[in-house]
Amino acid sequence: MALSQVVGRLIGVRQHQVDPGGGGTDRVPRPTTALVVGGGIAGMSAAVVLAERGVAVTVLEAAPTLGGRLGAWPEALADGSSQQNEHGFHAFFRQYYNWRSILRRADPDLGFLKPIPGYPILSEQWPTEEFGKLPPAPPANLLALLLRSPSLRLADLRSMDRDAALPLLSYDPVRTYAELDDSTAEELLASLRLPDRARAMLFEVFSHSFFNHEAEMSAAEMVAQFHFYLLGNPEGLAFDCPDEDYATAIWQPLTRHVERHGGRVLTGSTATGVHRDADGWRVTTADGGGHRAGHVVLAVDPPALAALVRASPDLTERAPELVARMPAFGTPGPPYAVARYWCDGDVAAGRAVFSGVSRQATLDSVTLYHRLENESRRWARQTGGSVVELHAYACGPGVPAEELAERMRRELVTLWPEAAGLRVRELRARVQAQAPAFSPGSHAWRPGVRTDATGLYLAGDGIATDFPSALMERSAATGIIAANHILRAEGGAAEPVHSVRPRGLLAGRGTGT
C-alpha cells in the first residue's frame, strides 16, 4: 500500500460498503423469474447476480452482440482478415469495485486487465501533462498535482477564488445537488478564476469524459465526478484495460457464467413493450413473441428506455412517475464519435497507448490499439501497420461520421506530426447519441433503480445512485442494486455493493465518513 493510501485511510479515503449484502438464502427459496432488457454492463451485472442466486433470468438484447457502449463485433477487412471492432476505448479505473466484482466471474484474477502506463494530456498550445503518475490517494494526489503541474503556479493559486473552489472539496450527496445542480459546469469553472491553461488541461479534459459539454452539464455532477475520480478515491487515476477485445475478454465468459447458472442470454431480441396483468409482467418482442416474469429490469440507454416506456400503455397506470420522467430523461447527451483506423506505418515509438486531448475542436482522445489488444497487435506485426482509434466525446449534431473522423485525423496530425505519414487502409467510423445527459436541474427528475411499479426496476449509467459512481461503475452498481431488490423480495441473499468515500474531504462529519 502506498504511503498516500495509508494517510488517506486515516481520513476515510478508502473503499466503503454501501450495502453489506446477505440477509437471505444463498439461493432463492421459491421459484423466481426475472427478465432483463438490455445486455450491456448494467443488464449483465443484474443477470449474473440473479442467476447465481437461482433466479430463472432471461436477458433480452436487441443488438446481435452484447455490451452496449462496451460492445465488440467482427469486421471483415479488405486484406481478408477479420478484426474485432468496438464502440470506443474505456478505462477500467481501480475504484470500479462493483464492476470489477462482476468481472471476476469472467476471470477471478482479472488477469486480462493490464495496467496502462501513464495518462498524458496532449495540447497543441501547451506541453503535455501527465496525470497517471500522481500518488493514488488524496490529499497527497491533490498536493502533488498542484506542485507538479506547470499549468497551475503558486501565483495562480493566490489569485483563484478559493470560496468558489470549496465545493470541489466538499462534495455532499444532498447539499451539492441542492446548491449547484441548477448551475452549469462552465459557470463553476469560470468562477474559479483559473488561468486558461489550467482550466483547459486540468478541468475541461476531465468534464468532456462524461459525454457532456461544460455549458450543458450540471455543476453538481462535475463536482460529484471530481470527487469520485480524484478527491474521494483511494486508487488514483491509474487504470487498466483488457488485452483482448471486449467480446472475448468479457461478454463471452459472462454469458457462459449466466448460462451455467441456469440463465438465458438472447441477442437479436428487441423488446417492444412492457405489460402487467394478473399473472405478472410480460415483455413483448419485435418478432411477435413475448416473455413472462415476476420481475423486470430495464437496462437500456435513455432514448431506448423512453421509447420502450412510451410504447407500454400499461405503465401510465402502473408507473405514472416513471412515465412522467421519461421525456426529459430520454433526451440523450450530445453525439459522440469513434473512428478506428487500420494504417500502414506507425506513430513514434514513445507515444502513449492512451492520451487525452485538450482544446481540439473535435478530438478528445487517442488510443493505439496495436499496443493494447492482442488481436490488433498481431495484425500490426503481420502488416507492419498500426491500429489507431480516435474518439470525440461530445460533437455537434448532424455531422456525418466520416467527416468527424477526418476532422479528428487532421487534429491528430497537429499533435503528432508523424501521423500525417500514415496511409489509411481501412476506416470504421460511427457517430451515436445514446449517452445520458447530465443537464442543469436534472437531478430532481433523474430516476433511480426502484420505480413506482412493483417488480419493475431500472439500471444504467444515467440512473441515480445515492453514493458516488459514474460511467461503467454506475452501470454495474445499478444492475446489482436492481438484482438485490428482487432477491430481497424473494428471500435470497443480496450482493454486497461498494463505493469510494461518500463525502468530500471538507464536507464535515457525517454518516459513513
Side-chain angles (χ1 to χ4, degrees), residues 35-38 60 62 269-275 281-286 296-316 322-323 326 329-330 456-458:
L35 287 169
V36 176
V37 180
L60 305 177
S269 185
T270 303
T272 56
V274 181
H275 313 277
W281 291 100
R282 180 170 59 90
V283 174
T284 54
T285 51
V296 173
V297 179
L298 303 180
V300 293
D301 60 62
L305 178 61
L308 186 58
V309 170
R310 194 164 53 246
S312 306
D314 287 1
L315 296 182
T316 302
L322 173 65
V323 171
M326 284 301 100
F329 180 74
L456 181 65
Y457 306 97
L458 308 179

Side-chain angles (χ1 to χ4, degrees), residues 11 79 112 143 155 192 199 234 273 285 287 305 355 440 459 477 487 500:
I11 56 173
D79 62 10
F112 67 92
L143 294 173
L192 299 179
R199 175 170 169 167
T285 51
D287 61 3
L305 178 61
S355 300
L487 293 171
V500 301

Side-chain angles (χ1 to χ4, degrees), residues 30 65 191 274 309 467:
R30 53 184 172 268
T65 55
S191 73
V274 181
V309 170
F467 54 88

Side-chain angles (χ1 to χ4, degrees), residues 46-402:
V48 162
V49 173
L50 291 170
E52 288 175 346
R53 304 304 196 276
V55 174
V57 60
T58 298
V59 177
L60 305 177
E61 168 55 47
T65 55
L66 297 176
R69 297 201 306 278
L70 196 72
W73 60 92
E75 296 273 8
L77 303 189
D79 62 10
S81 66
S82 177
Q83 294 283 300
Q84 288 286 330
N85 197 7
E86 296 163 333
H87 273 293
F89 176 86
H90 289 73
F92 289 63
F93 286 92
R94 293 168 191 170
Q95 79 275 24
Y96 286 4
Y97 303 123
N98 301 297
W99 181 214
R100 284 173 175 253
S101 173
I102 295 297
L103 291 174
R104 289 186 189 279
R105 275 69 167 199
D107 178 352
D109 298 322
L110 298 182
F112 67 92
L113 289 180
K114 306 300 182 185
I116 301 300
Y119 186 176
I121 305 300
L122 311 178
S123 169
E124 188 179 0
Q125 297 173 260
W126 302 292
T128 297
E129 289 212 30
E130 173 59 65
F131 291 99
K133 298 178 182 177
L134 295 171
N141 60 0
L142 180 60
L143 294 173
L145 177 64
L146 297 177
L147 290 171
R148 296 178 192 176
S149 174
S151 298
L152 197 60
R153 298 164 300 180
L154 183 59
D156 300 324
L157 293 175
R158 290 173 179 155
S159 63
M160 75 180 291
D161 188 329
R162 289 182 287 276
D163 289 337
L166 188 62
L168 293 172
L169 297 165
S170 308
Y171 168 74
D172 179 273
V174 176
R175 189 174 64 245
T176 293
Y177 287 97
E179 295 177 353
L180 295 175
D181 196 48
D182 290 330
S183 303
T184 68
E186 184 175 63
E187 290 169 338
L188 177 61
L189 292 177
S191 73
L192 299 179
R193 297 205 303 260
L194 289 167
D196 190 49
R197 177 178 176 179
R199 175 170 169 167
M201 299 294 281
L202 304 183
F203 288 95
E204 289 180 2
V205 170
F206 176 79
S207 61
H208 280 187
S209 302
F210 301 101
F211 300 91
N212 282 245
H213 296 294
E214 294 93 342
E216 300 168 357
M217 182 181 183
S218 157
E221 286 293 342
M222 194 188 79
V223 170
Q225 303 322 327
F226 199 72
H227 172 80
F228 180 64
Y229 284 96
L230 187 67
L231 294 179
N233 161 29
E235 314 297 342
L237 284 174
F239 55 84
D240 309 308
C241 289
D243 60 0
E244 299 286 358
D245 65 87
Y246 302 140
T248 302
I250 298 172
W251 302 120
Q252 292 169 10
L254 286 183
T255 297
R256 291 192 294 267
H257 183 83
V258 169
E259 291 173 344
R260 277 198 305 272
H261 287 82
R264 295 191 300 162
V265 179
L266 306 179
T267 56
S269 185
T270 303
T272 56
V274 181
H275 313 277
R276 177 81 187 191
D277 57 29
D279 296 324
W281 291 100
R282 180 170 59 90
V283 174
T284 54
T285 51
D287 61 3
H291 301 265
R292 287 193 171 276
H295 305 270
V296 173
V297 179
L298 303 180
V300 293
D301 60 62
L305 178 61
L308 186 58
V309 170
R310 194 164 53 246
S312 306
D314 287 1
L315 296 182
T316 302
E317 178 182 350
R318 300 282 183 177
E321 183 178 325
L322 173 65
V323 171
R325 292 172 187 243
M326 284 301 100
F329 180 74
T331 302
Y336 55 91
V338 182
R340 186 171 292 199
Y341 288 90
W342 286 263
C343 303
D344 284 332
D346 198 358
V347 295
R351 301 302 189 190
V353 171
F354 173 82
S355 300
V357 175
S358 173
R359 286 280 175 91
Q360 291 294 332
T362 311
L363 181 63
D364 285 306
S365 69
V366 185
T367 307
L368 304 180
Y369 269 83
H370 60 295
R371 302 179 189 176
L372 175 65
E373 289 186 355
N374 292 331
E375 184 179 69
S376 294
R377 188 178 288 117
R378 289 190 294 269
W379 183 90
R381 278 200 303 263
Q382 291 165 4
T383 63
S386 56
V387 183
V388 181
E389 184 182 271
L390 308 180
H391 205 162
Y393 299 143
C395 316
V399 184
E402 290 72 18

